[in-house]
Amino acid sequence: MKIINTFLITGIVLFIISINQIFAQNLSTASCGTPSNLHINNLTSTSGQLVWNSVPNATNYVIRFRPVGSTSWRRQPSQNTIEVITSLIPNTLYEAKVKSICSRIVGVYCSLYNFRTPSNISCAVPNVYYFASDSITSNSAKVSWKKIPEALSYNVQYRIRYSNSTWLTNSSSTNSLILTDLNPQIQYEFKVQTVCSNGLSSYSLAGIFTTLRNICDAPINLEAIDITTSTVTLLWNSLSCATSYNLKYRQVGTVWIIVNLNSPTYNLTNLEEGTSYEFIVQGINQNGFTSIYSHPYVFSTASPTCGIPDNITLGSIAINQATLSWNAIQGASKYNVRYRLIGSLNWQTFTTDVNNAILTGLSPDNAYEYEVQTMCANSPGGFSAKSIFSTLPQYSNIIPVPDHIVICIMENKAYTQIFESIFTPNISNLSDDQKSALFLNSYGITHPSQPNYFHLFSGGNQGITNNELPAQHFTTPNLAKELINAGKTFIEYSEGLPEVGYDGTSYGRYVRRHNPITNWMGTDANQVSSTLNQPFSNFPTNYSNLPTVSIVVPDLTNGMHDGLLGTALANGDNWFKNNMIPYIDWAKSNNSLFILTADEDDGSHNNHILTIFTGSMVMHGSYSQPITHYNILRTIEEMYGLNFIGGTANVSSIHGCWTNGFRMSAKQTASESLVPKENYSGWNVFPNPVYNELHATYNLTESSEVSINIYNSTGSLIFEDKLGKIENGNHTYTIDVKEKKIPQGIYLMDIVYGNKKYTQRFLISQR
């Protein structure tokens, strides 16, 4: 009996121990929890970093992942809550899970987490050249940009320009975005980043727009029509922000009469015949806020017996005078002529007995308006319609004179192939340099390569239309000889040239067809010494020893000529970085210039090539005026007072991108050199004529309130943009005249800041 009891007690004890072990094991399993918040960071097309929340008591973890649909898992242990997985397949949907291990106890896998690897296609940066801003109000604006084909969405950052404040960021699923909660009458800048399946692009360069004032703008396009001896109809453009208007009118020189109106038109009656009147208008919004008054519009009532002069013709124009003539009016005893600066309130008036006049005492490079009135006995007729002219500038052909120019010529690649490529970061970055000008419409003249080199060097192809070796050396005018004749120097540096003066067709990666100076070596007329034809290995490291002008041509490998597109571009970009950037950095602080261009495109981009100017005298920006090799050569000729050779006699030099180092016309001697006129603003309007976008560049020596105004040929203000306070420095203003629906014709644009105003005339035309 005692034995049975002993066994019974022993069994009970063992049972209790087993129960405790099972309980302990279950408790241990329960404490080895399941990982949560599994996700992936730093995902590329072939790798990523799986991350999850840690589990208490876990000593390590096990990851499993595979492409969705695959029957086999890849297993990867980890001692951390972060694990890098590699050898992924681009553009593939994956599933992954992870479980924890606590000592000897294994937890369970978490729920499946899915992710897709991006493709290995690059994500393009939006091009600021295609940026637009419209639907602008005092507190909002719509910004847009060219659609990127691979984009999933876009990130847009914006802030007040020059504020250096933190960028505000919004996202958009389309290539436009409405920005809200903006401040009135403030200039903003915005930039755009592309979001692709494989990641993000860099942010673009900044676009610029200005919000409107939060009260009505001044009315524009004032006009007086249906003029009789005693009545007239006054008109102006309606304002979307105005619910009413204040109209002021008077005989010129008398007290204003004020009328409040609900529409942008008014019929004046009981006027005196043959009398000059003027009127101005302001807008009033629904809250009672008023705009400033418009510029005055002057008109004259008709005389019943005295005709109005017509066919007014502008004769010769000088820097300080202009000649007028008009048809004689029967019965006229004399004529009153009056004129004034555009925007001025005060007329200058004089009387003449004949039907012509000379306006004197004018200011150079300014716009004037004028009109003529007939006097019959003591009865005046109406004034003629106003006309406009501009005096000539006192200083013409404003252009810098660099101490040194280096022209680097790349081969057979189009603008878009170079500038928008991931293989050319150094060349692309050059256009962003604050001392660089990017020319958006630069073109080679012909195909193939050799004639383009001749065009740039001599202003013509010298009868050569192919890449074949010319039969003999030329004796025609060329850049090198013209520089020597002017007391300047020139050398061409060709990579791979085996020796100074080498005249062979090719050597290794060097080819003569890319070395124009070889064709002018000799002792005959217009020929030069063979010592000007040098290997690139002789390019000075002390850049002050450079000649006045030099041409640098890389070999077939480093000039982007040979190889697959990506390889050719990368070779050229690396060569440019190692060999040209040191000179560029030096040129920016040593009154020197670097020109990067190409001979031609690849034959499929309308010969659209990349051209960038960089130097101490260059105004940063993107410039849309069309240029060719002829314009580049013409610019160099004007810089050093050379003759205009070949096709350069029929083109203009490149203006609008310079900031200092000004000189007079090339026909002046060194002793006649001039400094810029006092307070010169750097104001320049281009292209002229304009078809779509008009650009205006200006330089402020100190921060100022700035406004831009455009007047039509009758002197009426048709466009006004108050930019607010602008910081000192170089600036570019752009207006799309086609979008604003400004018709063909001659216009004047002026910039006003402080007590200064500068005006330039331009023509709007249609292609």
Side-chain angles (χ1 to χ4, degrees), residues 536-591:
F536 181 69
S537 57
N538 289 348
F539 191 77
T541 55
N542 181 349
Y543 302 124
S544 60
N545 293 331
L546 279 164
T548 309
V549 178
S550 56
I551 292 178
V552 172
V553 182
D555 65 21
L556 291 175
T557 297
N558 294 322
M560 300 185 179
H561 186 283
D562 286 0
L564 297 175
L565 179 61
T567 301
L569 293 172
N571 287 340
D573 191 70
N574 289 331
W575 185 92
F576 164 81
K577 173 185 177 182
N578 295 328
N579 294 282
M580 292 291 98
I581 286 183
Y583 166 74
I584 293 170
D585 291 339
W586 179 87
K588 290 188 293 184
S589 57
N590 286 275
N591 190 40

Short mmCIF file of all heavy atoms in Angstrom, two decimals, residues 536-591:
data_model
loop_
_atom_site.label_atom_id
_atom_site.label_comp_id
_atom_site.label_asym_id
_atom_site.label_seq_id
_atom_site.Cartn_x
_atom_site.Cartn_y
_atom_site.Cartn_z
N PHE A 536 46.84 71.09 -78.03
CA PHE A 536 46.20 71.53 -76.80
C PHE A 536 47.13 71.37 -75.59
O PHE A 536 46.96 72.06 -74.58
CB PHE A 536 44.89 70.77 -76.56
CG PHE A 536 44.18 71.19 -75.31
CD1 PHE A 536 43.59 72.44 -75.23
CD2 PHE A 536 44.13 70.35 -74.20
CE1 PHE A 536 42.95 72.85 -74.06
CE2 PHE A 536 43.50 70.75 -73.04
CZ PHE A 536 42.90 72.00 -72.97
N SER A 537 48.12 70.50 -75.71
CA SER A 537 49.09 70.34 -74.62
C SER A 537 49.85 71.64 -74.35
O SER A 537 50.45 71.81 -73.28
CB SER A 537 50.07 69.21 -74.94
OG SER A 537 50.72 69.46 -76.17
N ASN A 538 49.83 72.59 -75.29
CA ASN A 538 50.49 73.88 -75.10
C ASN A 538 49.56 74.95 -74.51
O ASN A 538 49.96 76.10 -74.35
CB ASN A 538 51.03 74.40 -76.43
CG ASN A 538 52.23 73.60 -76.92
OD1 ASN A 538 52.78 72.79 -76.16
ND2 ASN A 538 52.62 73.78 -78.17
N PHE A 539 48.31 74.57 -74.22
CA PHE A 539 47.36 75.53 -73.63
C PHE A 539 47.93 75.99 -72.29
O PHE A 539 48.25 75.18 -71.42
CB PHE A 539 46.01 74.85 -73.42
CG PHE A 539 44.89 75.79 -73.06
CD1 PHE A 539 44.30 76.58 -74.03
CD2 PHE A 539 44.42 75.87 -71.76
CE1 PHE A 539 43.25 77.43 -73.72
CE2 PHE A 539 43.38 76.73 -71.43
CZ PHE A 539 42.79 77.51 -72.42
N PRO A 540 48.07 77.32 -72.08
CA PRO A 540 48.77 77.81 -70.89
C PRO A 540 48.05 77.43 -69.60
O PRO A 540 46.82 77.37 -69.54
CB PRO A 540 48.75 79.34 -71.07
CG PRO A 540 48.50 79.55 -72.52
CD PRO A 540 47.64 78.41 -72.96
N THR A 541 48.81 77.19 -68.56
CA THR A 541 48.23 77.02 -67.22
C THR A 541 48.18 78.36 -66.51
O THR A 541 47.39 78.54 -65.58
CB THR A 541 49.06 76.02 -66.40
OG1 THR A 541 50.43 76.46 -66.39
CG2 THR A 541 48.98 74.63 -67.01
N ASN A 542 49.02 79.31 -66.93
CA ASN A 542 48.91 80.70 -66.47
C ASN A 542 48.05 81.41 -67.52
O ASN A 542 48.52 81.79 -68.58
CB ASN A 542 50.28 81.35 -66.37
CG ASN A 542 50.20 82.78 -65.87
OD1 ASN A 542 49.13 83.37 -65.79
ND2 ASN A 542 51.36 83.35 -65.57
N TYR A 543 46.77 81.57 -67.20
CA TYR A 543 45.81 82.02 -68.21
C TYR A 543 46.05 83.45 -68.67
O TYR A 543 45.55 83.85 -69.73
CB TYR A 543 44.38 81.84 -67.70
CG TYR A 543 44.08 80.40 -67.34
CD1 TYR A 543 43.62 80.07 -66.07
CD2 TYR A 543 44.27 79.38 -68.26
CE1 TYR A 543 43.36 78.76 -65.73
CE2 TYR A 543 44.01 78.07 -67.95
CZ TYR A 543 43.55 77.75 -66.67
OH TYR A 543 43.29 76.45 -66.34
N SER A 544 46.78 84.23 -67.91
CA SER A 544 47.09 85.58 -68.36
C SER A 544 48.02 85.55 -69.58
O SER A 544 48.18 86.57 -70.26
CB SER A 544 47.74 86.39 -67.22
OG SER A 544 48.94 85.76 -66.79
N ASN A 545 48.63 84.39 -69.88
CA ASN A 545 49.48 84.25 -71.06
C ASN A 545 48.72 83.80 -72.29
O ASN A 545 49.31 83.59 -73.36
CB ASN A 545 50.60 83.24 -70.78
CG ASN A 545 51.58 83.75 -69.73
OD1 ASN A 545 51.77 84.95 -69.59
ND2 ASN A 545 52.18 82.84 -68.98
N LEU A 546 47.40 83.65 -72.17
CA LEU A 546 46.60 83.27 -73.33
C LEU A 546 46.60 84.37 -74.37
O LEU A 546 46.77 85.56 -74.05
CB LEU A 546 45.16 83.00 -72.89
CG LEU A 546 44.86 81.63 -72.29
CD1 LEU A 546 43.52 81.65 -71.57
CD2 LEU A 546 44.88 80.55 -73.37
N PRO A 547 46.39 84.03 -75.65
CA PRO A 547 46.22 85.07 -76.67
C PRO A 547 44.89 85.81 -76.46
O PRO A 547 44.07 85.40 -75.63
CB PRO A 547 46.21 84.28 -77.97
CG PRO A 547 45.74 82.92 -77.58
CD PRO A 547 46.30 82.67 -76.21
N THR A 548 44.68 86.86 -77.21
CA THR A 548 43.43 87.60 -77.10
C THR A 548 42.24 86.69 -77.34
O THR A 548 41.28 86.67 -76.55
CB THR A 548 43.40 88.76 -78.11
OG1 THR A 548 44.60 89.53 -78.00
CG2 THR A 548 42.19 89.65 -77.87
N VAL A 549 42.29 85.92 -78.41
CA VAL A 549 41.23 84.96 -78.73
C VAL A 549 41.88 83.62 -79.05
O VAL A 549 42.89 83.57 -79.75
CB VAL A 549 40.38 85.42 -79.94
CG1 VAL A 549 39.31 84.37 -80.27
CG2 VAL A 549 39.72 86.77 -79.65
N SER A 550 41.30 82.57 -78.52
CA SER A 550 41.77 81.22 -78.87
C SER A 550 40.58 80.32 -79.10
O SER A 550 39.51 80.49 -78.50
CB SER A 550 42.68 80.65 -77.78
OG SER A 550 42.02 80.64 -76.53
N ILE A 551 40.77 79.37 -80.00
CA ILE A 551 39.77 78.32 -80.25
C ILE A 551 40.35 77.02 -79.73
O ILE A 551 41.51 76.68 -80.01
CB ILE A 551 39.44 78.21 -81.75
CG1 ILE A 551 38.67 79.46 -82.21
CG2 ILE A 551 38.60 76.97 -82.02
CD1 ILE A 551 38.34 79.47 -83.69
N VAL A 552 39.56 76.29 -78.96
CA VAL A 552 39.98 75.00 -78.40
C VAL A 552 39.07 73.92 -78.96
O VAL A 552 37.84 74.02 -78.87
CB VAL A 552 39.91 75.02 -76.86
CG1 VAL A 552 40.15 73.63 -76.30
CG2 VAL A 552 40.91 76.01 -76.29
N VAL A 553 39.66 72.86 -79.54
CA VAL A 553 38.89 71.77 -80.12
C VAL A 553 39.38 70.45 -79.55
O VAL A 553 40.53 70.07 -79.79
CB VAL A 553 39.00 71.76 -81.66
CG1 VAL A 553 38.14 70.63 -82.23
CG2 VAL A 553 38.57 73.10 -82.25
N PRO A 554 38.56 69.73 -78.77
CA PRO A 554 38.95 68.40 -78.28
C PRO A 554 39.04 67.40 -79.44
O PRO A 554 38.57 67.68 -80.56
CB PRO A 554 37.80 68.02 -77.32
CG PRO A 554 37.07 69.30 -77.06
CD PRO A 554 37.24 70.15 -78.27
N ASP A 555 39.60 66.24 -79.17
CA ASP A 555 39.71 65.23 -80.22
C ASP A 555 38.38 64.52 -80.42
O ASP A 555 37.37 64.85 -79.79
CB ASP A 555 40.85 64.26 -79.93
CG ASP A 555 40.60 63.41 -78.68
OD1 ASP A 555 39.45 63.26 -78.24
OD2 ASP A 555 41.59 62.88 -78.13
N LEU A 556 38.35 63.51 -81.31
CA LEU A 556 37.09 62.84 -81.66
C LEU A 556 36.44 62.15 -80.48
O LEU A 556 35.22 62.03 -80.42
CB LEU A 556 37.35 61.83 -82.78
CG LEU A 556 37.72 62.40 -84.14
CD1 LEU A 556 38.07 61.29 -85.11
CD2 LEU A 556 36.59 63.26 -84.70
N THR A 557 37.23 61.71 -79.51
CA THR A 557 36.67 61.07 -78.33
C THR A 557 36.13 62.09 -77.34
O THR A 557 34.99 62.00 -76.88
CB THR A 557 37.72 60.19 -77.64
OG1 THR A 557 38.13 59.15 -78.53
CG2 THR A 557 37.16 59.57 -76.36
N ASN A 558 36.94 63.08 -77.03
CA ASN A 558 36.56 64.03 -75.99
C ASN A 558 35.69 65.18 -76.48
O ASN A 558 35.18 65.95 -75.67
CB ASN A 558 37.82 64.59 -75.34
CG ASN A 558 38.59 63.52 -74.59
OD1 ASN A 558 38.00 62.65 -73.96
ND2 ASN A 558 39.91 63.58 -74.67
N GLY A 559 35.51 65.28 -77.79
CA GLY A 559 34.66 66.33 -78.35
C GLY A 559 33.24 65.88 -78.58
O GLY A 559 32.48 66.56 -79.27
N MET A 560 32.87 64.69 -78.07
CA MET A 560 31.51 64.13 -78.18
C MET A 560 31.21 63.59 -79.58
O MET A 560 30.06 63.28 -79.88
CB MET A 560 30.43 65.15 -77.80
CG MET A 560 30.53 65.68 -76.38
SD MET A 560 29.13 66.76 -76.00
CE MET A 560 29.48 67.19 -74.29
N HIS A 561 32.22 63.48 -80.43
CA HIS A 561 31.97 63.04 -81.80
C HIS A 561 31.73 61.54 -81.88
O HIS A 561 30.77 61.09 -82.51
CB HIS A 561 33.16 63.44 -82.69
CG HIS A 561 32.95 63.16 -84.15
ND1 HIS A 561 33.05 61.91 -84.70
CD2 HIS A 561 32.64 64.01 -85.18
CE1 HIS A 561 32.83 61.97 -85.99
NE2 HIS A 561 32.57 63.24 -86.32
N ASP A 562 32.60 60.75 -81.27
CA ASP A 562 32.56 59.30 -81.45
C ASP A 562 31.93 58.59 -80.26
O ASP A 562 31.97 59.09 -79.13
CB ASP A 562 33.97 58.76 -81.65
CG ASP A 562 34.52 59.09 -83.04
OD1 ASP A 562 33.79 59.73 -83.82
OD2 ASP A 562 35.66 58.70 -83.33
N GLY A 563 31.40 57.40 -80.52
CA GLY A 563 30.86 56.56 -79.46
C GLY A 563 29.35 56.65 -79.35
O GLY A 563 28.69 57.50 -79.96
N LEU A 564 28.78 55.73 -78.55
CA LEU A 564 27.35 55.78 -78.27
C LEU A 564 27.02 57.10 -77.58
O LEU A 564 27.88 57.71 -76.94
CB LEU A 564 26.94 54.60 -77.40
CG LEU A 564 27.14 53.20 -78.02
CD1 LEU A 564 26.81 52.13 -77.01
CD2 LEU A 564 26.28 53.05 -79.27
N LEU A 565 25.76 57.54 -77.70
CA LEU A 565 25.38 58.87 -77.24
C LEU A 565 25.79 59.12 -75.80
O LEU A 565 26.45 60.12 -75.49
CB LEU A 565 23.87 59.07 -77.40
CG LEU A 565 23.33 60.43 -76.93
CD1 LEU A 565 23.97 61.56 -77.71
CD2 LEU A 565 21.81 60.47 -77.07
N GLY A 566 25.41 58.22 -74.88
CA GLY A 566 25.72 58.43 -73.47
C GLY A 566 27.21 58.47 -73.21
O GLY A 566 27.70 59.31 -72.45
N THR A 567 27.95 57.57 -73.86
CA THR A 567 29.40 57.53 -73.68
C THR A 567 30.05 58.78 -74.24
O THR A 567 30.93 59.39 -73.61
CB THR A 567 29.98 56.29 -74.37
OG1 THR A 567 29.37 55.12 -73.82
CG2 THR A 567 31.49 56.22 -74.18
N ALA A 568 29.62 59.20 -75.44
CA ALA A 568 30.19 60.40 -76.06
C ALA A 568 29.94 61.63 -75.20
O ALA A 568 30.84 62.45 -74.99
CB ALA A 568 29.60 60.59 -77.46
N LEU A 569 28.72 61.76 -74.69
CA LEU A 569 28.39 62.91 -73.85
C LEU A 569 29.21 62.90 -72.56
O LEU A 569 29.72 63.94 -72.13
CB LEU A 569 26.90 62.91 -73.53
CG LEU A 569 25.95 63.17 -74.71
CD1 LEU A 569 24.51 62.96 -74.28
CD2 LEU A 569 26.13 64.57 -75.27
N ALA A 570 29.32 61.74 -71.94
CA ALA A 570 30.08 61.65 -70.69
C ALA A 570 31.56 61.96 -70.91
O ALA A 570 32.18 62.66 -70.10
CB ALA A 570 29.92 60.25 -70.09
N ASN A 571 32.12 61.46 -72.01
CA ASN A 571 33.53 61.76 -72.31
C ASN A 571 33.74 63.26 -72.47
O ASN A 571 34.70 63.84 -71.93
CB ASN A 571 33.95 61.04 -73.59
CG ASN A 571 34.12 59.54 -73.38
OD1 ASN A 571 34.30 59.08 -72.25
ND2 ASN A 571 34.06 58.78 -74.46
N GLY A 572 32.87 63.90 -73.24
CA GLY A 572 32.99 65.34 -73.45
C GLY A 572 32.81 66.12 -72.17
O GLY A 572 33.53 67.10 -71.92
N ASP A 573 31.85 65.72 -71.34
CA ASP A 573 31.58 66.44 -70.09
C ASP A 573 32.76 66.31 -69.12
O ASP A 573 33.14 67.28 -68.46
CB ASP A 573 30.30 65.89 -69.45
CG ASP A 573 29.82 66.74 -68.29
OD1 ASP A 573 29.37 67.87 -68.54
OD2 ASP A 573 29.92 66.28 -67.14
N ASN A 574 33.34 65.13 -69.03
CA ASN A 574 34.50 64.93 -68.15
C ASN A 574 35.70 65.74 -68.64
O ASN A 574 36.44 66.34 -67.85
CB ASN A 574 34.86 63.45 -68.07
CG ASN A 574 33.83 62.66 -67.27
OD1 ASN A 574 33.18 63.20 -66.37
ND2 ASN A 574 33.67 61.39 -67.60
N TRP A 575 35.92 65.74 -69.97
CA TRP A 575 37.02 66.53 -70.52
C TRP A 575 36.81 68.01 -70.24
O TRP A 575 37.74 68.72 -69.85
CB TRP A 575 37.11 66.29 -72.03
CG TRP A 575 38.29 66.95 -72.67
CD1 TRP A 575 39.53 66.44 -72.89
CD2 TRP A 575 38.34 68.30 -73.16
NE1 TRP A 575 40.35 67.36 -73.47
CE2 TRP A 575 39.64 68.53 -73.66
CE3 TRP A 575 37.42 69.33 -73.23
CZ2 TRP A 575 40.04 69.73 -74.22
CZ3 TRP A 575 37.80 70.54 -73.78
CH2 TRP A 575 39.09 70.73 -74.27
N PHE A 576 35.58 68.47 -70.43
CA PHE A 576 35.25 69.87 -70.15
C PHE A 576 35.53 70.20 -68.68
O PHE A 576 36.13 71.24 -68.37
CB PHE A 576 33.77 70.11 -70.48
CG PHE A 576 33.20 71.36 -69.90
CD1 PHE A 576 33.41 72.58 -70.51
CD2 PHE A 576 32.46 71.32 -68.73
CE1 PHE A 576 32.89 73.75 -69.97
CE2 PHE A 576 31.94 72.48 -68.18
CZ PHE A 576 32.15 73.69 -68.80
N LYS A 577 35.14 69.33 -67.77
CA LYS A 577 35.36 69.57 -66.34
C LYS A 577 36.85 69.70 -66.03
O LYS A 577 37.27 70.62 -65.31
CB LYS A 577 34.75 68.42 -65.53
CG LYS A 577 35.07 68.49 -64.03
CD LYS A 577 34.54 67.26 -63.31
CE LYS A 577 34.91 67.29 -61.83
NZ LYS A 577 34.45 66.07 -61.13
N ASN A 578 37.65 68.80 -66.58
CA ASN A 578 39.08 68.76 -66.23
C ASN A 578 39.88 69.86 -66.92
O ASN A 578 40.90 70.32 -66.38
CB ASN A 578 39.66 67.39 -66.58
CG ASN A 578 39.05 66.28 -65.74
OD1 ASN A 578 38.68 66.49 -64.59
ND2 ASN A 578 38.93 65.10 -66.33
N ASN A 579 39.45 70.29 -68.12
CA ASN A 579 40.29 71.18 -68.92
C ASN A 579 39.78 72.60 -69.08
O ASN A 579 40.57 73.52 -69.29
CB ASN A 579 40.47 70.56 -70.32
CG ASN A 579 41.25 69.27 -70.29
OD1 ASN A 579 42.47 69.28 -70.18
ND2 ASN A 579 40.55 68.15 -70.36
N MET A 580 38.46 72.82 -68.97
CA MET A 580 37.91 74.16 -69.20
C MET A 580 37.46 74.86 -67.93
O MET A 580 37.52 76.08 -67.83
CB MET A 580 36.74 74.08 -70.19
CG MET A 580 37.16 73.70 -71.61
SD MET A 580 38.12 75.00 -72.48
CE MET A 580 39.80 74.40 -72.23
N ILE A 581 36.96 74.12 -66.94
CA ILE A 581 36.43 74.76 -65.74
C ILE A 581 37.50 75.58 -65.02
O ILE A 581 37.20 76.69 -64.52
CB ILE A 581 35.76 73.74 -64.81
CG1 ILE A 581 34.42 73.32 -65.42
CG2 ILE A 581 35.56 74.29 -63.41
CD1 ILE A 581 33.61 72.38 -64.59
N PRO A 582 38.76 75.13 -64.92
CA PRO A 582 39.77 76.00 -64.28
C PRO A 582 39.90 77.36 -64.96
O PRO A 582 40.00 78.39 -64.29
CB PRO A 582 41.06 75.18 -64.39
CG PRO A 582 40.59 73.76 -64.43
CD PRO A 582 39.32 73.79 -65.22
N TYR A 583 39.89 77.36 -66.31
CA TYR A 583 39.94 78.65 -67.00
C TYR A 583 38.67 79.47 -66.74
O TYR A 583 38.74 80.69 -66.51
CB TYR A 583 40.10 78.45 -68.51
CG TYR A 583 39.81 79.73 -69.28
CD1 TYR A 583 40.72 80.79 -69.29
CD2 TYR A 583 38.59 79.89 -69.94
CE1 TYR A 583 40.43 81.97 -69.95
CE2 TYR A 583 38.30 81.08 -70.61
CZ TYR A 583 39.21 82.11 -70.61
OH TYR A 583 38.91 83.28 -71.26
N ILE A 584 37.51 78.81 -66.75
CA ILE A 584 36.24 79.51 -66.52
C ILE A 584 36.25 80.20 -65.17
O ILE A 584 35.86 81.37 -65.05
CB ILE A 584 35.06 78.52 -66.64
CG1 ILE A 584 34.92 78.02 -68.08
CG2 ILE A 584 33.76 79.17 -66.18
CD1 ILE A 584 33.96 76.87 -68.24
N ASP A 585 36.69 79.49 -64.14
CA ASP A 585 36.74 80.09 -62.79
C ASP A 585 37.66 81.31 -62.77
O ASP A 585 37.37 82.31 -62.11
CB ASP A 585 37.22 79.05 -61.77
CG ASP A 585 36.20 77.95 -61.55
OD1 ASP A 585 35.01 78.18 -61.85
OD2 ASP A 585 36.59 76.86 -61.09
N TRP A 586 38.75 81.22 -63.51
CA TRP A 586 39.68 82.36 -63.59
C TRP A 586 39.06 83.51 -64.38
O TRP A 586 39.18 84.67 -63.99
CB TRP A 586 40.97 81.89 -64.24
CG TRP A 586 42.01 82.95 -64.41
CD1 TRP A 586 42.96 83.35 -63.51
CD2 TRP A 586 42.23 83.77 -65.58
NE1 TRP A 586 43.73 84.35 -64.03
CE2 TRP A 586 43.32 84.64 -65.30
CE3 TRP A 586 41.60 83.86 -66.82
CZ2 TRP A 586 43.79 85.55 -66.22
CZ3 TRP A 586 42.06 84.78 -67.74
CH2 TRP A 586 43.15 85.62 -67.44
N ALA A 587 38.39 83.19 -65.48
CA ALA A 587 37.83 84.23 -66.36
C ALA A 587 36.80 85.08 -65.64
O ALA A 587 36.69 86.28 -65.91
CB ALA A 587 37.20 83.57 -67.60
N LYS A 588 36.06 84.50 -64.70
CA LYS A 588 34.98 85.21 -64.03
C LYS A 588 35.47 86.35 -63.15
O LYS A 588 34.68 87.21 -62.76
CB LYS A 588 34.13 84.24 -63.21
CG LYS A 588 33.29 83.30 -64.08
CD LYS A 588 32.32 82.47 -63.27
CE LYS A 588 33.02 81.47 -62.36
NZ LYS A 588 32.05 80.60 -61.65
N SER A 589 36.74 86.35 -62.83
CA SER A 589 37.28 87.43 -62.00
C SER A 589 38.45 88.14 -62.68
O SER A 589 39.17 88.90 -62.04
CB SER A 589 37.72 86.88 -60.64
OG SER A 589 38.68 85.84 -60.80
N ASN A 590 38.63 87.89 -63.98
CA ASN A 590 39.77 88.49 -64.68
C ASN A 590 39.38 89.06 -66.05
O ASN A 590 40.15 88.96 -67.01
CB ASN A 590 40.90 87.45 -64.84
CG ASN A 590 41.62 87.17 -63.54
OD1 ASN A 590 42.55 87.89 -63.16
ND2 ASN A 590 41.18 86.12 -62.86
N ASN A 591 38.21 89.68 -66.14
CA ASN A 591 37.74 90.35 -67.36
C ASN A 591 37.96 89.49 -68.60
O ASN A 591 38.46 89.94 -69.62
CB ASN A 591 38.45 91.70 -67.55
CG ASN A 591 37.82 92.52 -68.67
OD1 ASN A 591 36.59 92.55 -68.80
ND2 ASN A 591 38.63 93.16 -69.49
#
